[in-house]
Each structure stands twice: as structure tokens, then as C-alpha cells.
Amino acid sequence: MFLENTVNHKEQFGWIEVICGSMFSGKTEELIRRLRRAQFAKQKVEIFKPTIDTRYHDEMVVSHDANEIRSTPVPAAANIAILAQGCDVVGIDEAQFFDDEIVKICNDLANQGIRVIVAGLDMDFKGNPFGPMPALMATAEYVTKVHAVCTRTGNLANYSFRKTDNDKLVMLGETEEYEPLSRAAYYYAMKKNEGK
């Protein structure tokens, strides 16, 4: 459960919120929800995503439920620090695709009094921690892990199983390429793939 930060006007520090989980778990949906609330409160909000994520739209962050919010695509984390000046809230989607500098950028923004909301996959398709996400989770004040529903068992899913033979770490895809699986279903699917 996410708890709102209490406001202390004497303390001029922001904080970091991380929303993580598997594919199809609602990470981007939750990111958009929080950013819209901040916009409604008349806070200055900027949203960023990596330029490589063009699945739905070049300049919009779009959830699987087709909710969307305008964003600025950036090639590297360093661009965020420059473009986020003067903001109250910074949103970052698909943080796992950024370089490790994203951790320093997020902490620097929070130290400047900015609320930083980051969404990303916590594990890659092999079940390993993904990119800078573990370090972001460790330094964040709030971490929300969301879950999909396993397509094979109906249990909570926290693994993103890749259905294709592509072994590249970064491969953009949707339901044709990935499916959310529970621990047991993922274990058996990986065992089956080892036998091929």
C-alpha cells in the first residue's frame, strides 16, 4: 500500500517512489494515475521515457489499458537532469532501459526537493534483477510492487516470460512475445525451454 508523504515545509527535500513488477502488472497505469493527481493539484509535472520505447507512441507514455500522458523521450538519464529543472514532480517510465546514471539523477532530483516517481520492470525475462532497478528500489522512500495475473495458473504473476527464442536482454514486445507467469509456471516454462 502506498502512503502519501507528510508535508514538512521546513524540509526542502523530495523523495523517490518506485513502481515495479512484471509486464502487464499495471506499472504504467499506476504511474499515470499518480502523475495526473499531481497535475490536478496544479503541480509542475514532467514525464520522461527512454527513446527506444516506441511501442505505442513516440511522445506519449501509454499503458496497456490505453491510458496516456504526454512525455519527453530522452536517449540517456543525463538529459532528465537538465529538462527537469523547476519541476515539482518528475515521472520516469521504463526505467530499466536507462543507464545506471538514472540512480544518481533520481537522488539528485529528490535532494533538490522534487518528488520522483519511477516505473519499471524489476526483473528481466531470465528472472534476474533488471538494470538500475535494484539500486532505485534500494534508495527509494516508497516501493510499490504490482502484480499481473498468471496466464497459466490464475495466481499472482511476478515474472515476464519471453515466448520467443530471442536471447537479447532488451527486446520490446507485447502479448505476442511475453506473458506474465507465477513462480511455479515460470519455473516449469524455463525447465521446458532448457530441454529444447
Side-chain angles (χ1 to χ4, degrees):
M1 180 176 163
F2 175 73
L3 301 174
E4 298 289 345
N5 191 35
T6 54
V7 177
N8 177 350
H9 295 287
K10 293 177 186 168
E11 184 181 74
Q12 293 300 308
F13 280 77
W15 64 89
I16 300 171
E17 303 166 24
V18 172
I19 306 161
C20 63
S22 69
M23 291 189 69
F24 314 110
S25 61
K27 298 178 303 298
T28 301
E29 192 76 25
E30 178 62 16
L31 174 69
I32 292 170
R33 186 188 74 80
R34 293 182 193 184
L35 294 171
R36 285 234 170 92
R37 289 178 67 215
Q39 288 175 333
F40 184 75
K42 307 269 190 270
Q43 294 177 328
K44 186 166 189 254
V45 177
E46 286 292 335
I47 304 112
F48 302 95
K49 72 176 192 171
T51 53
I52 65 167
D53 185 14
T54 56
R55 287 174 293 176
Y56 294 114
H57 196 280
D58 289 344
E59 294 180 355
M60 302 290 271
V61 167
V62 183
S63 73
H64 295 295
D65 288 344
N67 282 329
E68 59 185 28
I69 194 165
R70 180 145 312 278
S71 69
T72 302
V74 291
N79 299 97
I80 295 171
I82 298 162
L83 298 169
Q85 296 307 309
C87 291
D88 300 309
V89 181
V90 168
I92 303 168
D93 196 30
E94 303 293 354
Q96 75 278 356
F97 293 144
F98 284 106
D99 50 274
D100 288 340
E101 191 177 5
I102 191 77
V103 180
K104 180 183 183 319
I105 300 295
C106 289
N107 279 285
D108 288 348
L109 292 172
N111 292 343
Q112 294 168 27
I114 297 171
R115 176 185 178 194
V116 182
I117 312 169
V118 180
L121 293 167
D122 53 353
M123 291 187 289
D124 63 23
F125 76 101
K126 294 181 178 179
N128 297 319
F130 204 160
M133 289 301 290
L136 283 167
M137 293 163 68
T139 58
E141 280 80 359
Y142 304 101
V143 176
T144 304
K145 183 155 182 167
V146 290
H147 297 85
V149 175
C150 179
T151 55
R152 300 182 187 188
T153 67
N155 293 327
L156 287 181
N158 60 320
Y159 290 90
S160 302
F161 178 70
R162 186 178 290 173
K163 299 190 282 188
T164 65
D165 287 334
N166 187 329
D167 206 31
K168 288 174 34 179
L169 180 62
V170 175
M171 186 187 99
L172 296 177
E174 288 300 313
T175 54
E176 297 80 32
E177 293 83 16
Y178 293 97
E179 68 179 307
L181 296 181
S182 65
R183 178 180 295 276
Y186 180 81
Y187 173 81
Y188 290 119
M190 292 302 281
K191 289 286 272 182
K192 184 177 177 186
N193 279 357
E194 286 174 12
K196 287 182 180 179

